[in-house]
Amino acid sequence: MNDKVDLAAKLALLEGPYKPGVVGYLNDYKLAVVKLKGEFVWHKHDDTDDFFLVLHGRITIQLRDRDVVLNEGELFVVPRGVEHCPKADEEAHVLLIEPRGTVNTGDAGGELTAEEVEI
Amino acid sequence: MNDKVDLAAKLALLEGPYKPGVVGYLNDYKLAVVKLKGEFVWHKHDDTDDFFLVLHGRITIQLRDRDVVLNEGELFVVPRGVEHCPKADEEAHVLLIEPRGTVNTGDAGGELTAEEVEI
């Protein structure tokens, strides 16, 4: 965890969508890569903003009042407390940054909740 | 600052190397883009790790005991307290993430010290 990280190589290790892999840390934040395909789950994080940077493909972050469409090289920070639901029609690759311990499904829980796994 | 950010478009607004532009925030962290060309200055941050993600080109983060060469799509987190000096032979583009208020030149100061400017 103290060497450089090739994000594409890390993404190749992931088995399927919505199973993030932690690739490093920045102070008390985790740096994770994740594949998106299909729709995630509506949720929010009351205690933290939520960072998304698209590395490959295109995603839509659905908010209750609008959609934010992100292409490769575009980032968006979902403010804390704001409900959102990411989706991707085709497989897309994303860098996520959140405080360690942040649960991927936020307040929603459910079967898409994933452990923090280092890859 | 609450909409999506096209990193390449933001980088096009920068006038020269080593003049970062803040493009957003993640909680109490700033998200900044910067162009690198030539050598920066040896410095360290005693209170924070230092996040580098190469968006375009290639950079070398010189450490006292080794060089870390980063190509596009590769990231490296310089641990707090570790002296480092970034450089790039050709212009390269980088995403930086650090706590707000972190001075770009750390403990070194000098003429390359830049204000936190939102772009």
Side-chain angles (χ1 to χ4, degrees):
Chain A
M1 287 272 155
N2 59 1
D3 210 343
K4 74 172 182 179
V5 176
D6 179 335
L7 293 173
K10 290 296 190 183
L11 277 150
L13 301 175
L14 297 178
E15 292 187 1
Y18 296 114
K19 295 178 179 174
V22 176
V23 300
Y25 299 99
L26 171 67
N27 299 322
D28 54 347
Y29 283 65
K30 57 183 174 182
L31 314 173
V33 290
V34 65
K35 292 178 177 173
L36 275 64
K37 187 171 183 184
E39 188 167 69
F40 194 53
V41 61
W42 281 97
H43 68 286
K44 61 187 170 71
H45 306 281
D46 284 329
D47 299 326
T48 182
D49 301 338
D50 209 3
F51 171 102
F52 294 79
L53 169 62
V54 175
L55 302 169
H56 172 73
R58 173 186 298 196
I59 72 170
T60 299
I61 299 178
Q62 302 172 90
L63 307 176
R64 288 299 187 189
D65 64 344
R66 62 187 171 119
D67 285 349
V68 178
V69 178
L70 298 179
N71 294 295
E72 188 174 320
E74 295 182 334
L75 71 80
F76 183 67
V77 178
V78 180
R80 67 183 63 198
V82 171
E83 284 186 295
H84 58 287
C85 180
K87 68 174 183 178
D89 294 332
E90 304 294 330
E91 182 176 293
H93 299 166
V94 168
L95 176 67
L96 300 174
I97 305 179
E98 300 165 318
R100 299 188 200 197
T102 301
V103 176
N104 66 326
T105 52
D107 63 321
E111 63 184 13
L112 289 172
T113 302
E115 297 293 316
E116 285 190 14
V117 178
E118 294 181 2
I119 58 173
Chain B
M1 285 273 157
N2 59 2
D3 209 344
K4 73 173 182 178
V5 176
D6 178 335
L7 294 173
K10 291 295 190 183
L11 277 151
L13 301 175
L14 297 178
E15 291 186 3
Y18 297 114
K19 295 178 178 175
V22 176
V23 299
Y25 299 98
L26 172 67
N27 299 323
D28 54 346
Y29 282 66
K30 58 183 174 183
L31 315 173
V33 290
V34 66
K35 292 178 177 174
L36 275 64
K37 187 171 183 183
E39 188 167 69
F40 194 53
V41 61
W42 281 97
H43 69 285
K44 61 186 169 71
H45 306 280
D46 284 328
D47 299 325
T48 182
D49 302 338
D50 209 1
F51 171 103
F52 295 79
L53 170 62
V54 176
L55 302 169
H56 173 74
R58 175 186 296 197
I59 73 171
T60 300
I61 299 178
Q62 302 172 90
L63 307 176
R64 289 300 187 189
D65 63 345
R66 63 187 170 118
D67 285 349
V68 178
V69 178
L70 298 180
N71 294 295
E72 188 174 319
E74 295 183 335
L75 71 80
F76 183 68
V77 178
V78 180
R80 65 184 64 198
V82 171
E83 283 187 296
H84 58 286
C85 180
K87 69 173 182 179
D89 294 333
E90 304 293 333
E91 182 177 293
H93 299 167
V94 169
L95 175 67
L96 300 173
I97 305 179
E98 299 166 318
R100 299 188 200 198
T102 301
V103 176
N104 65 326
T105 53
D107 63 320
E111 62 184 13
L112 289 174
T113 303
E115 297 293 317
E116 285 189 14
V117 178
E118 293 182 2
I119 60 172

